[in-house]
Amino acid sequence: MKKILGALFLLVTLGTMTACSSGTNQKSIQDKGKIVIATESEFAPFEFKTLINGKDTLVGADIELGKAIAKELGVKADFSVMSFNNVLASVTSGKADIAIAGISVTDERKKAYDFSKSYYEAENVVIVKKTDLVAYSTLDSLSGKSVGAQKGSIQENIAKDQLPDSSLVSLTSNGEMINELKNNQLQAVVLEKAIAEGYISQNDDLTIADLNLKSTATDAYAVAFAKGTDKKLIASVNKVIKNAKKTGQFDAWIEKASTYTQNKVSSEE
Ligand code: ARG
């Protein structure tokens, strides 16, 4: 009997411990006076580094959104820059309170994370060299070719599903992926349109391929939280998103970000 009770007690304790450790709550963020936001730094116009007064500065629409969330909570925004493939895991491990990195909401991810309302609708495109525009004008024409996608992104799945005969090359850094495309190690790269356009505006040898990826189920960006996060915190984030969308603030952030040049340095880690 004692043994059974002991085992039961252990189970209950463990259960409560997991319930508490998964997800952060608003109060603990307010108590520590800062919100740790996991992000990345090669994803203009959402998050990237640019030189401002000679200083490497993290800017972009997601960064502004993060600052607005911190302001709503009355705390400091503490951005933690990491590779994209570590961003989601960092909210589960508790390394970050929330993640903002152009993260697309998918059914798969919804099983493991909580999400805010979405704040941006993205579309996927393929970038090629201008000189290959005619050669790669159908999905089939890329069969046997090397196609790049960012490690941990939904673009990896898009490439696997829609370009099954191409060889997928997963890279951590978008900047590196673009370099490999420019020097012919990759023949094509899958990126979301806004990001692709940013790179194309800085590289006049690149262009968007004239081929249509099947529109994948929604590709909308949202803020990610650990599963089981305090509903109050999610509601506060939703309030900021709703307001930024309604007032046109979010579009203005994207507009402003488009006036900066993305540094050609590769990301941390
Ligand atoms: N939206 C895509 C995804 O969630 C790509 C996001 C990449 N974000 C970044 N900051 N590199 O998988």
Side-chain angles (χ1 to χ4, degrees), residues 3 9 47 61 68 80 93 96 101 126 152 165 171 208 269:
K3 262 191 197 152
F9 178 74
E47 53 264 353
S80 174
S93 68
V126 175
D165 300 323
L171 292 174
I208 291 181
E269 273 187 77

Side-chain angles (χ1 to χ4, degrees), residues 38-269:
T39 191
E40 196 253 1
S41 66
E42 284 184 283
F43 203 64
F46 297 94
E47 53 264 353
F48 58 106
K49 288 190 169 164
T50 193
L51 279 184
I52 294 181
N53 298 330
K55 233 187 112 207
D56 222 9
T57 312
L58 189 61
V59 294
D62 280 351
I63 305 306
E64 296 299 331
L65 176 61
K67 288 180 185 165
I69 290 168
K71 191 164 171 223
E72 168 71 23
L73 301 174
V75 298
K76 222 176 99 259
D78 179 0
F79 292 98
S80 174
V81 174
M82 58 192 79
S83 315
F84 183 71
N85 60 324
N86 291 326
V87 165
L88 278 165
S90 75
V91 295
T92 307
S93 68
K95 209 177 149 220
D97 296 310
I98 64 175
I100 313 182
I103 301 166
S104 306
V105 183
T106 64
D107 288 340
E108 195 59 34
R109 286 176 178 167
K110 272 201 237 164
K111 289 181 203 152
Y113 305 95
D114 284 345
F115 285 97
S116 68
K117 280 191 199 330
S118 65
Y119 59 85
Y120 183 83
E121 296 287 336
E123 189 188 324
N124 288 281
V125 298
V126 175
I127 312 186
V128 294
K129 288 185 100 168
K130 258 186 194 157
T131 48
D132 284 338
L133 187 61
V134 177
Y136 302 135
S137 55
T138 61
L139 294 175
D140 282 345
S141 63
L142 282 167
S143 91
K145 308 293 176 196
S146 297
V147 176
Q150 190 173 33
K151 206 176 264 174
S153 73
I154 63 166
Q155 284 69 40
E156 285 185 310
N157 295 331
I158 293 175
K160 276 183 215 153
D161 293 346
Q162 301 195 41
L163 296 164
D165 300 323
S166 303
S167 76
L168 169 63
V169 179
S170 297
L171 292 174
T172 308
S173 148
N174 281 335
E176 203 171 297
M177 216 154 63
I178 292 299
N179 282 341
E180 296 207 354
L181 177 63
K182 286 166 75 75
N183 57 41
N184 304 316
Q185 285 161 279
L186 294 175
Q187 279 72 56
V189 161
V190 185
L191 276 176
E192 279 140 347
K193 195 164 171 222
I195 292 75
E197 282 170 348
Y199 280 114
I200 287 168
S201 73
Q202 288 185 38
N203 296 278
D204 55 17
D205 53 335
L206 304 180
T207 190
I208 291 181
D210 197 9
L211 44 83
N212 281 328
L213 291 173
K214 269 189 257 96
S215 70
T216 41
T218 58
D219 184 2
Y221 298 170
V223 176
F225 308 85
K227 199 86 195 161
T229 287
D230 176 23
K231 296 274 177 297
K232 218 164 137 191
L233 176 62
I234 301 181
S236 300
V237 169
N238 283 339
K239 184 178 158 201
V240 174
I241 289 175
K242 207 172 143 200
N243 188 56
K245 278 169 79 171
K246 199 180 70 197
T247 58
Q249 177 90 78
F250 198 82
D251 296 328
W253 288 334
I254 292 190
E255 197 63 35
K256 169 122 194 276
S258 317
T259 66
Y260 296 126
T261 311
Q262 177 164 210
N263 282 0
K264 285 215 173 80
V265 292
S266 57
S267 63
E268 272 93 303
E269 273 187 77

